[in-house]
PDB file of all heavy atoms in Angstrom:
ATOM      1  N   ALA A  44     -24.239  68.268  43.010  1.00 98.00           N
ATOM      2  CA  ALA A  44     -24.688  69.150  41.925  1.00 98.00           C
ATOM      3  C   ALA A  44     -23.636  69.251  40.829  1.00 98.00           C
ATOM      4  O   ALA A  44     -23.955  69.244  39.632  1.00 98.00           O
ATOM      5  CB  ALA A  44     -25.009  70.532  42.485  1.00 98.00           C
ATOM      6  N   HIS A  45     -22.374  69.335  41.235  1.00 98.00           N
ATOM      7  CA  HIS A  45     -21.290  69.399  40.251  1.00 98.00           C
ATOM      8  C   HIS A  45     -21.248  68.125  39.403  1.00 98.00           C
ATOM      9  O   HIS A  45     -21.140  68.191  38.173  1.00 98.00           O
ATOM     10  CB  HIS A  45     -19.963  69.603  40.966  1.00 98.00           C
ATOM     11  CG  HIS A  45     -18.768  69.448  40.075  1.00 98.00           C
ATOM     12  ND1 HIS A  45     -18.474  70.333  39.047  1.00 98.00           N
ATOM     13  CD2 HIS A  45     -17.797  68.480  40.044  1.00 98.00           C
ATOM     14  CE1 HIS A  45     -17.381  69.929  38.427  1.00 98.00           C
ATOM     15  NE2 HIS A  45     -16.961  68.813  39.002  1.00 98.00           N
ATOM     16  N   PHE A  46     -21.356  66.984  40.050  1.00 98.00           N
ATOM     17  CA  PHE A  46     -21.329  65.728  39.304  1.00 98.00           C
ATOM     18  C   PHE A  46     -22.525  65.648  38.341  1.00 98.00           C
ATOM     19  O   PHE A  46     -22.378  65.247  37.187  1.00 98.00           O
ATOM     20  CB  PHE A  46     -21.375  64.535  40.260  1.00 98.00           C
ATOM     21  CG  PHE A  46     -20.162  64.404  41.147  1.00 98.00           C
ATOM     22  CD1 PHE A  46     -20.257  63.774  42.385  1.00 98.00           C
ATOM     23  CD2 PHE A  46     -18.923  64.913  40.763  1.00 98.00           C
ATOM     24  CE1 PHE A  46     -19.153  63.637  43.209  1.00 98.00           C
ATOM     25  CE2 PHE A  46     -17.805  64.792  41.584  1.00 98.00           C
ATOM     26  CZ  PHE A  46     -17.922  64.150  42.807  1.00 98.00           C
ATOM     27  N   ALA A  47     -23.716  66.029  38.819  1.00 98.00           N
ATOM     28  CA  ALA A  47     -24.926  65.917  38.002  1.00 98.00           C
ATOM     29  C   ALA A  47     -24.952  66.924  36.862  1.00 98.00           C
ATOM     30  O   ALA A  47     -25.660  66.728  35.870  1.00 98.00           O
ATOM     31  CB  ALA A  47     -26.162  66.084  38.884  1.00 98.00           C
ATOM     32  N   SER A  48     -24.166  67.991  36.982  1.00 97.00           N
ATOM     33  CA  SER A  48     -24.133  68.981  35.895  1.00 97.00           C
ATOM     34  C   SER A  48     -23.585  68.384  34.605  1.00 97.00           C
ATOM     35  O   SER A  48     -23.846  68.899  33.516  1.00 97.00           O
ATOM     36  CB  SER A  48     -23.297  70.196  36.312  1.00 97.00           C
ATOM     37  OG  SER A  48     -21.913  69.855  36.423  1.00 97.00           O
ATOM     38  N   ALA A  49     -22.843  67.274  34.698  1.00 97.00           N
ATOM     39  CA  ALA A  49     -22.306  66.618  33.501  1.00 97.00           C
ATOM     40  C   ALA A  49     -23.414  66.085  32.613  1.00 97.00           C
ATOM     41  O   ALA A  49     -23.211  65.873  31.416  1.00 97.00           O
ATOM     42  CB  ALA A  49     -21.355  65.483  33.900  1.00 97.00           C
ATOM     43  N   PHE A  50     -24.614  65.853  33.185  1.00 96.00           N
ATOM     44  CA  PHE A  50     -25.751  65.449  32.353  1.00 96.00           C
ATOM     45  C   PHE A  50     -26.947  66.375  32.594  1.00 96.00           C
ATOM     46  O   PHE A  50     -28.107  65.966  32.564  1.00 96.00           O
ATOM     47  CB  PHE A  50     -26.116  63.971  32.567  1.00 96.00           C
ATOM     48  CG  PHE A  50     -26.259  63.520  33.998  1.00 96.00           C
ATOM     49  CD1 PHE A  50     -27.503  63.476  34.603  1.00 96.00           C
ATOM     50  CD2 PHE A  50     -25.160  63.102  34.729  1.00 96.00           C
ATOM     51  CE1 PHE A  50     -27.653  63.042  35.908  1.00 96.00           C
ATOM     52  CE2 PHE A  50     -25.296  62.655  36.037  1.00 96.00           C
ATOM     53  CZ  PHE A  50     -26.541  62.628  36.636  1.00 96.00           C
ATOM     54  N   ASP A  51     -26.631  67.655  32.824  1.00 95.00           N
ATOM     55  CA  ASP A  51     -27.625  68.732  32.864  1.00 95.00           C
ATOM     56  C   ASP A  51     -28.671  68.524  33.949  1.00 95.00           C
ATOM     57  O   ASP A  51     -29.862  68.806  33.748  1.00 95.00           O
ATOM     58  CB  ASP A  51     -28.307  68.879  31.490  1.00 95.00           C
ATOM     59  CG  ASP A  51     -27.283  69.022  30.368  1.00 95.00           C
ATOM     60  OD1 ASP A  51     -26.364  69.838  30.520  1.00 95.00           O
ATOM     61  OD2 ASP A  51     -27.383  68.297  29.362  1.00 95.00           O
ATOM     62  N   ALA A  52     -28.249  68.030  35.109  1.00 97.00           N
ATOM     63  CA  ALA A  52     -29.189  67.778  36.204  1.00 97.00           C
ATOM     64  C   ALA A  52     -28.677  68.388  37.502  1.00 97.00           C
ATOM     65  O   ALA A  52     -28.829  67.816  38.577  1.00 97.00           O
ATOM     66  CB  ALA A  52     -29.422  66.281  36.363  1.00 97.00           C
ATOM     67  N   GLU A  53     -28.074  69.571  37.396  1.00 97.00           N
ATOM     68  CA  GLU A  53     -27.446  70.195  38.557  1.00 97.00           C
ATOM     69  C   GLU A  53     -28.446  70.431  39.683  1.00 97.00           C
ATOM     70  O   GLU A  53     -28.152  70.175  40.858  1.00 97.00           O
ATOM     71  CB  GLU A  53     -26.801  71.516  38.135  1.00 97.00           C
ATOM     72  CG  GLU A  53     -25.954  72.161  39.213  1.00 97.00           C
ATOM     73  CD  GLU A  53     -25.160  73.354  38.692  1.00 97.00           C
ATOM     74  OE1 GLU A  53     -25.219  73.600  37.467  1.00 97.00           O
ATOM     75  OE2 GLU A  53     -24.487  74.014  39.493  1.00 97.00           O
ATOM     76  N   GLU A  54     -29.665  70.902  39.333  1.00 97.00           N
ATOM     77  CA  GLU A  54     -30.656  71.192  40.375  1.00 97.00           C
ATOM     78  C   GLU A  54     -31.091  69.922  41.091  1.00 97.00           C
ATOM     79  O   GLU A  54     -31.303  69.908  42.306  1.00 97.00           O
ATOM     80  CB  GLU A  54     -31.871  71.900  39.772  1.00 97.00           C
ATOM     81  CG  GLU A  54     -31.573  73.271  39.199  1.00 97.00           C
ATOM     82  CD  GLU A  54     -31.297  73.218  37.699  1.00 97.00           C
ATOM     83  OE1 GLU A  54     -30.888  72.142  37.206  1.00 97.00           O
ATOM     84  OE2 GLU A  54     -31.492  74.247  37.038  1.00 97.00           O
ATOM     85  N   GLN A  55     -31.245  68.823  40.330  1.00 98.00           N
ATOM     86  CA  GLN A  55     -31.607  67.556  40.955  1.00 98.00           C
ATOM     87  C   GLN A  55     -30.499  67.093  41.906  1.00 98.00           C
ATOM     88  O   GLN A  55     -30.769  66.565  42.988  1.00 98.00           O
ATOM     89  CB  GLN A  55     -31.842  66.491  39.881  1.00 98.00           C
ATOM     90  CG  GLN A  55     -33.144  66.638  39.129  1.00 98.00           C
ATOM     91  CD  GLN A  55     -34.313  66.060  39.892  1.00 98.00           C
ATOM     92  OE1 GLN A  55     -34.216  64.995  40.488  1.00 98.00           O
ATOM     93  NE2 GLN A  55     -35.431  66.780  39.895  1.00 98.00           N
ATOM     94  N   GLY A  56     -29.251  67.305  41.495  1.00 98.00           N
ATOM     95  CA  GLY A  56     -28.130  66.937  42.346  1.00 98.00           C
ATOM     96  C   GLY A  56     -28.108  67.738  43.632  1.00 98.00           C
ATOM     97  O   GLY A  56     -27.850  67.204  44.721  1.00 98.00           O
ATOM     98  N   LEU A  57     -28.383  69.036  43.517  1.00 98.00           N
ATOM     99  CA  LEU A  57     -28.408  69.895  44.704  1.00 98.00           C
ATOM    100  C   LEU A  57     -29.504  69.446  45.669  1.00 98.00           C
ATOM    101  O   LEU A  57     -29.287  69.358  46.888  1.00 98.00           O
ATOM    102  CB  LEU A  57     -28.631  71.350  44.279  1.00 98.00           C
ATOM    103  CG  LEU A  57     -28.428  72.409  45.356  1.00 98.00           C
ATOM    104  CD1 LEU A  57     -26.966  72.476  45.793  1.00 98.00           C
ATOM    105  CD2 LEU A  57     -28.896  73.773  44.845  1.00 98.00           C
ATOM    106  N   LEU A  58     -30.690  69.144  45.126  1.00 98.00           N
ATOM    107  CA  LEU A  58     -31.807  68.695  45.965  1.00 98.00           C
ATOM    108  C   LEU A  58     -31.467  67.392  46.684  1.00 98.00           C
ATOM    109  O   LEU A  58     -31.656  67.276  47.909  1.00 98.00           O
ATOM    110  CB  LEU A  58     -33.055  68.502  45.100  1.00 98.00           C
ATOM    111  CG  LEU A  58     -34.242  67.807  45.780  1.00 98.00           C
ATOM    112  CD1 LEU A  58     -34.757  68.636  46.956  1.00 98.00           C
ATOM    113  CD2 LEU A  58     -35.361  67.543  44.768  1.00 98.00           C
ATOM    114  N   ALA A  59     -30.965  66.396  45.944  1.00 98.00           N
ATOM    115  CA  ALA A  59     -30.651  65.103  46.561  1.00 98.00           C
ATOM    116  C   ALA A  59     -29.586  65.263  47.641  1.00 98.00           C
ATOM    117  O   ALA A  59     -29.675  64.657  48.716  1.00 98.00           O
ATOM    118  CB  ALA A  59     -30.189  64.118  45.489  1.00 98.00           C
TER     119      ALA A  59
END
Side-chain angles (χ1 to χ4, degrees):
H45 170 67
F46 295 153
S48 69
F50 49 96
D51 308 312
E53 188 171 355
E54 295 95 336
Q55 285 279 318
L57 191 66
L58 170 63

